[in-house]
Amino acid sequence: MSDRVRVTVWNEFRHERHNAEVAKVYPEGIHRALQAGLSAYGFDIGTATLDEPEHGLTADRLNDTDVLVWWGHQAHDEVDDAIVERVQQRVLQGMGLIVLHSGHYSKIFRKLMGTSCALKWREADEKERLWVVKPSHPIAAGLPEYFELEREEMYGEHFDIPDPDELVFVSWFEGGEVFRSGATFSRGQGKIFYFRPGHETYPTYYNEPVLRVIANAVRWAASERGAAPFYGNAQPLEPIAGK
C-alpha cells in the first residue's frame, strides 16, 4: 500500500442528473461532494459511477484502490453481477469497503452480509442524533459523545444484518426509532463499515462530523492486516531444529 491511502468513491449518479431537488444539493454529484470533503484528510481520491464502462470499476482500478466508498439507491439491480463478484474478491483479498446510507441494499453489501439487509424507513424532515457507543474505536476518533443532523431520512430497526463485529454508532430519530447506524464487519482479509446517514435530498455529506466519520473509517479500513494466509496445496513444513 502506498503512503497515501488510495480511495475510490462510487456513486450511481442518477438522482443528481434527473431530480432537480437533488441537483440543488449536489450539483456535481454525491461522489464529487465526498471527493471534495475527504480531500482535506490527505487521501488520493478518485471517483467512479454506474454509467461508466464496467461501472468505472475495472480490474486495474480496483487493484489500485485501498478503500472503496459506495453510495447507491435507485439502480441497485443495474449493477452487473460480474462487477459485484470482482468487488467481492477484492474485499476478500484486503480492499476496504465503506457502504453509505441506501447502499445497505446494494448487491455487494447483501452478497457480503449474506442477509436481506432490509429495514424500515420514513422519508421526512427529522432530526437524527448519532450516539457514539464505542468511543475507543478508531472510527470515533475526534468526535463528541453524540452529534446531530437536523434533517434526515429515518431508518429503523429491525435491520437485517449479521451481528456486527463492532457497533460504533446508534441513531435516534424524532419519531422514536433507533438504528444501528455504524457497524463494522470483516470478510476474508477485508474490513467493511456501514454508515447510515446520507439521503440524497439533504446536505449530509457537507457535514463535518459525517466527513470525519467517513475519513476515520477509510483509515481504519486501509490499516495493516494480520498475517497473510495461504490457501491451496501445502508442502510439508521444515522440521524444527533439534526435533
Side-chain angles (χ1 to χ4, degrees), residues 98-111:
I98 313 301
V99 177
L100 301 176
H101 191 59
S102 47
H104 74 90
Y105 211 58
S106 63
K107 286 183 177 180
I108 183 58
F109 191 61
R110 286 185 291 150
K111 187 178 183 73

Side-chain angles (χ1 to χ4, degrees), residues 166-199:
E166 298 169 293
L167 185 62
V168 186
F169 303 102
V170 169
S171 288
W172 166 88
F173 296 88
E174 288 184 273
E177 293 86 2
V178 295
F179 190 77
R180 289 168 290 167
S181 53
T184 74
F185 306 88
S186 59
R187 294 293 184 269
Q189 293 294 97
K191 298 179 182 180
I192 302 166
F193 179 62
Y194 172 77
F195 190 44
R196 197 219 72 82
H199 187 62

Side-chain angles (χ1 to χ4, degrees), residues 103-107 109-111 113-119 158-162:
H104 74 90
Y105 211 58
S106 63
K107 286 183 177 180
F109 191 61
R110 286 185 291 150
K111 187 178 183 73
M113 295 298 103
T115 59
S116 74
C117 299
L119 48 82
H158 177 251
F159 187 15
D160 186 23
I161 54 174

Side-chain angles (χ1 to χ4, degrees), residues 48-192:
T49 58
L50 178 67
D51 292 326
E52 296 177 38
E54 300 182 62
H55 310 320
L57 299 175
T58 64
D60 286 345
R61 167 63 70 84
L62 289 174
N63 287 336
D64 288 336
T65 297
D66 299 313
V67 179
L68 178 63
V69 179
W70 191 282
W71 194 99
H73 184 204
Q74 66 176 178
H76 297 310
D77 290 345
E78 295 183 41
V79 179
D80 189 271
D81 290 342
I83 304 301
V84 175
E85 176 71 20
R86 182 184 294 168
V87 173
Q88 181 199 34
Q89 290 305 310
R90 278 290 293 127
V91 172
L92 298 179
Q93 293 163 5
M95 182 183 73
L97 178 65
I98 313 301
V99 177
L100 301 176
H101 191 59
S102 47
H104 74 90
Y105 211 58
S106 63
K107 286 183 177 180
I108 183 58
F109 191 61
R110 286 185 291 150
K111 187 178 183 73
L112 288 163
M113 295 298 103
T115 59
S116 74
C117 299
L119 48 82
K120 66 168 62 74
W121 58 273
R122 180 173 58 251
E123 189 171 339
D125 290 345
E126 293 190 39
K127 179 184 291 186
E128 176 179 4
R129 177 175 290 181
L130 292 102
W131 288 95
V132 178
V133 295
K134 192 172 181 61
S136 63
H137 199 282
I139 294 176
L143 295 172
E145 66 174 354
Y146 71 86
F147 61 94
E148 294 181 346
L149 301 172
E150 290 300 319
R151 298 167 62 236
E152 254 294 351
E153 179 182 33
M154 185 281 291
Y155 280 8
E157 296 289 346
H158 177 251
F159 187 15
D160 186 23
I161 54 174
D163 289 341
D165 294 343
E166 298 169 293
L167 185 62
V168 186
F169 303 102
V170 169
S171 288
W172 166 88
F173 296 88
E174 288 184 273
E177 293 86 2
V178 295
F179 190 77
R180 289 168 290 167
S181 53
T184 74
F185 306 88
S186 59
R187 294 293 184 269
Q189 293 294 97
K191 298 179 182 180
I192 302 166

